[in-house]
Amino acid sequence: MLIRVAKLQALSLKPHFHAFQFLSLLCTTPHPGPLNDPVFEISAMIKKPNWQNNIRLKPLVSHLNPHSVSRIIASHSRDIPLCLNFFKLACKQSTYCYDIDGRIQLLYILASDNSFGVLHKVLIWLIKECCSSQVDLLKIMAAIEYMRGKIGFRVNYPCYSTLLMCLAKLDVGSVAFSVFKRMLEDGFIAGELDYRNVINALCKNGFVQAAEMFVSRVLKLGLALDVYIYDSIN
């Protein structure tokens, strides 16, 4: 399981694991409020064309906590591209969501709102953002596993595939193998790129025999082997 892998890395993730205990107190469903409330002001602002260029937006967003960000996203939940773009802005501008811990807190709130369409999109973006940090990526994986156990959340195939790509870049072969196994258990069919990423990750960690096993599986499935894969195992 992904959470077991994260534990092996001796990460301190306990602060995140209590997040859902407080979510029942945080109703993120939009409700009428005063015009000077930044949540409602920003919600109205991002409906307009070229909203990213509004000079008042960034100062307002800088003071938003994860709960306020989720309220704004909830008010536009049917427009997933807009929600994703606002999520990115909040992560880069909000002092509360700037680090990985604040971003994971926001993931938990989105999950509690059942905003799974938005959640899948922001997860892909967050995974890519963590491609240069093994610690941050393992925290994201632990959060995914926690949401899976707590509310039954399942990541989709694009999330799995992106995760395998980043794990290959970070040279974490054993973790990549665990993710690949979980992906198959969830009923997804691995593509050529997924096999290539797992083989690459295993080879970088010296698990050549395991990589050769994957190569045999690729050949049996009739998938093409490119020069990249051959270079990895040689």
Side-chain angles (χ1 to χ4, degrees):
M1 296 175 65
L2 303 185
I3 188 65
R4 292 177 181 172
V5 175
K7 286 182 178 178
L8 291 176
Q9 303 296 326
L11 295 176
S12 177
L13 298 170
K14 291 183 179 179
H16 297 311
F17 288 3
H18 300 289
F20 278 101
Q21 296 178 5
F22 302 100
L23 294 181
S24 60
L25 302 176
L26 301 177
C27 177
T28 58
T29 303
H31 51 80
L35 294 177
N36 61 352
D37 185 335
V39 169
F40 294 94
E41 187 174 356
I42 293 171
S43 292
M45 199 177 291
I46 65 175
K47 291 180 181 179
K48 300 177 181 179
N50 302 315
W51 57 270
Q52 296 96 329
N53 299 326
N54 192 315
I55 59 174
R56 297 191 64 251
L57 183 60
K58 290 183 179 180
L60 288 172
V61 173
S62 67
H63 299 291
L64 293 179
N65 58 34
H67 173 52
S68 296
V69 173
S70 69
R71 286 176 59 197
I72 294 171
I73 289 175
S75 68
H76 300 282
S77 58
R78 294 185 178 182
D79 190 342
I80 293 179
L82 174 63
C83 291
L84 174 60
N85 287 330
F86 180 71
F87 182 92
K88 292 178 182 179
L89 177 67
C91 287
K92 294 178 179 179
Q93 298 296 328
S94 170
T95 55
Y96 295 92
C97 305
Y98 191 77
D99 62 10
I100 192 63
D101 296 326
R103 295 176 182 186
I104 288 176
Q105 183 75 15
L106 181 51
L107 290 181
Y108 286 156
I109 298 174
L110 291 175
S112 73
D113 284 344
N114 295 321
S115 300
F116 296 144
V118 177
L119 188 55
H120 280 124
K121 292 295 184 180
V122 301
L123 265 176
I124 292 173
W125 179 75
L126 277 180
I127 291 169
K128 290 179 179 178
E129 286 286 293
C130 295
C131 270
S132 60
S133 172
Q134 183 180 132
V135 172
D136 286 352
L137 187 60
L138 289 175
K139 284 186 176 183
I140 292 292
M141 291 172 62
I144 291 172
E145 188 67 19
Y146 181 68
M147 290 187 289
R148 181 187 183 98
K150 193 70 176 179
I151 61 172
F153 172 73
R154 298 288 189 271
V155 297
N156 57 14
Y157 172 74
C159 287
Y160 271 124
S161 190
T162 305
L163 193 53
L164 288 173
M165 177 189 68
C166 290
L167 289 170
K169 289 182 179 179
L170 291 171
D171 304 343
V172 194
S174 59
V175 184
F177 177 79
S178 297
V179 171
F180 182 87
K181 184 178 179 181
R182 170 58 67 81
M183 181 177 73
L184 297 184
E185 290 173 351
D186 281 352
F188 296 109
I189 299 175
E192 182 180 332
L193 180 61
D194 303 317
Y195 280 104
R196 188 175 76 173
N197 283 325
V198 175
I199 291 170
N200 185 32
L202 290 171
C203 288
K204 285 181 177 179
N205 286 157
F207 302 126
V208 178
Q209 289 185 337
E212 290 175 344
M213 178 191 71
F214 269 86
V215 169
S216 298
R217 185 181 298 183
V218 170
L219 293 174
K220 288 180 180 179
L221 291 172
L223 299 176
L225 285 177
D226 56 16
V227 176
Y228 185 86
I229 293 179
Y230 280 117
D231 288 344
S232 295
I233 61 177
N234 293 325

